[in-house]
Amino acid sequence: MTSQDFCVLRWGMIEHLRNNMVTLADLYAQHMNISLWRVSFLVRGNGNFFGRLSGRYDPDGKGPSSCNLRTVDAVFQWFDANWPGDLEWPADIHRPSSSDNRGAA
């Protein structure tokens, strides 16, 4: 694998994770009848988090922002722990708790 291939793979992975986080945020906001800003504040303590991540809030004109893997993990863990019981988790997005029993026989 060349360094260019790695960069393309890495960028695709970042885009995939970003899109999944924004999808979860949008679904949660719609289901709970709250704004995306409110979801951002609940999840990250920053009302602009998902707006910046999606590029919907872009005051500096730089496009969608990114975040580190620790933040990605924290976001997925928050949604996993707080996902409404009457809302189906999207089938195409891995749910952290679905792999809690790894290694169990």
Side-chain angles (χ1 to χ4, degrees):
M1 175 181 286
T2 67
S3 61
Q4 184 177 9
D5 292 337
F6 178 75
C7 288
V8 169
L9 179 64
R10 182 174 177 252
W11 180 251
M13 188 176 183
I14 291 167
E15 282 291 303
H16 179 72
L17 291 170
R18 178 189 295 142
N19 291 339
N20 285 351
M21 289 188 292
V22 171
T23 296
L24 291 175
D26 285 338
L27 290 170
Y28 187 89
Q30 183 179 14
H31 184 77
M32 302 299 286
N33 198 30
I34 58 177
S35 68
L36 188 61
W37 189 96
R38 181 69 180 145
V39 176
S40 295
F41 189 80
L42 290 170
V43 176
R44 296 299 303 153
N46 173 353
N48 294 322
F49 178 77
F50 289 114
R52 285 186 180 273
L53 203 61
S54 66
R56 294 179 211 159
Y57 176 73
D58 186 17
D60 50 14
K62 294 182 179 178
S65 65
S66 193
C67 60
N68 63 44
L69 287 177
R70 192 172 305 167
T71 300
V72 170
D73 185 54
V75 167
F76 275 96
Q77 293 298 331
W78 189 93
F79 280 122
D80 191 30
N82 294 282
W83 200 253
D86 61 337
L87 178 61
E88 187 173 340
W89 186 275
D92 59 338
I93 298 177
H94 176 75
R95 188 167 186 169
S97 63
S98 68
S99 58
D100 281 351
N101 292 327
R102 283 179 278 173

